[in-house]
Amino acid sequence: MFTGIIEGIGKIVRRDERFIFIQPSFTVENLKSGESFSVDGVCLTLLEEKLPLKFELSKKTSLGTSLHKKKSSEFVNLERAMRIGDRFSGHILLGHVDGTGRILFLDRKGEDFLLRVKYPLNLSEFIVPMGSIGVDGISLTVQKVFEDTFECVILPYTYNKTTLQLKKKGDEVNLEVDIIARYIKGIQMKEERLRKNEKIMKFLEER
């Protein structure tokens, strides 16, 4: 589990269809093979206890996220999985990308920055004003929601510590909706199925 509080940026130093090697720009200690990292919001398993960080990419993971377009010398956001007792500062992220969006606007607005992202319509019911969303692994608060876009205000600290400082209009980003919203939707769907089954049983009993 992750919090969306990015620890730092990593540079892709080598990659092929199966493996990706990333050199963190910050100090990483006590590496354990098998531990999880969030790489641009994608949960990947560390394969070796040394630098650069080595991860294996399944075809499904690669094609279902923006990682399939990442090349050597490009940068990604990095966060290690939470440890028991860690302070929880962002929101719950699993590293399971729900879809990819596209940046429509990213520029300074006063002292902060405004980010506008176009998202897949199948995610619309999970994206609400003042709700949480993961964008390339960054925990953000949705400010405004439109038919197929949402806006977030980015603080300078977040902008400068993440790959947002390198992003531009048209860039693809990984999106993970709030897990609480996902569970609420699941409960609603179960209740709808139960009501439907009850109506069918009642109809059959009256025949």
Side-chain angles (χ1 to χ4, degrees), residues 15-22 39 42-48 53-59 61-62 67:
R15 73 157 302 168
D16 52 37
E17 291 184 2
R18 186 175 177 184
F19 299 104
I20 185 169
F21 297 81
I22 301 170
V39 179
V42 184
C43 181
L44 297 179
T45 301
L46 184 68
L47 298 180
E48 298 177 352
L53 305 172
K54 180 182 180 181
F55 304 99
E56 185 172 9
L57 287 173
S58 70
K59 187 174 183 180
T61 297
S62 182
L67 292 182

Side-chain angles (χ1 to χ4, degrees), residues 88-165:
F88 198 96
S89 299
H91 77 280
I92 298 174
L93 288 168
L94 302 180
H96 301 160
V97 173
D98 294 298
T100 57
R102 197 163 297 280
I103 294 177
L104 298 181
F105 182 85
L106 176 57
D107 206 346
R108 186 176 289 277
K109 184 179 180 181
E111 296 181 356
D112 302 320
F113 294 85
L114 179 66
L115 171 68
R116 185 178 300 123
V117 176
K118 183 174 183 179
Y119 61 84
L121 289 178
N122 65 304
L123 301 184
S124 60
E125 56 195 345
F126 301 105
I127 301 175
V128 296
M130 303 313 295
S132 297
I133 191 165
V135 178
D136 272 355
I138 308 166
S139 174
L140 297 178
T141 299
V142 177
Q143 300 293 326
K144 296 181 180 179
V145 181
F146 305 96
E147 183 178 358
D148 61 351
T149 62
F150 66 84
E151 290 184 355
C152 298
V153 174
I154 310 297
L155 298 178
Y157 176 86
T158 301
Y159 181 85
N160 293 322
K161 192 176 179 63
T162 68
T163 58
L164 287 175
Q165 61 184 294

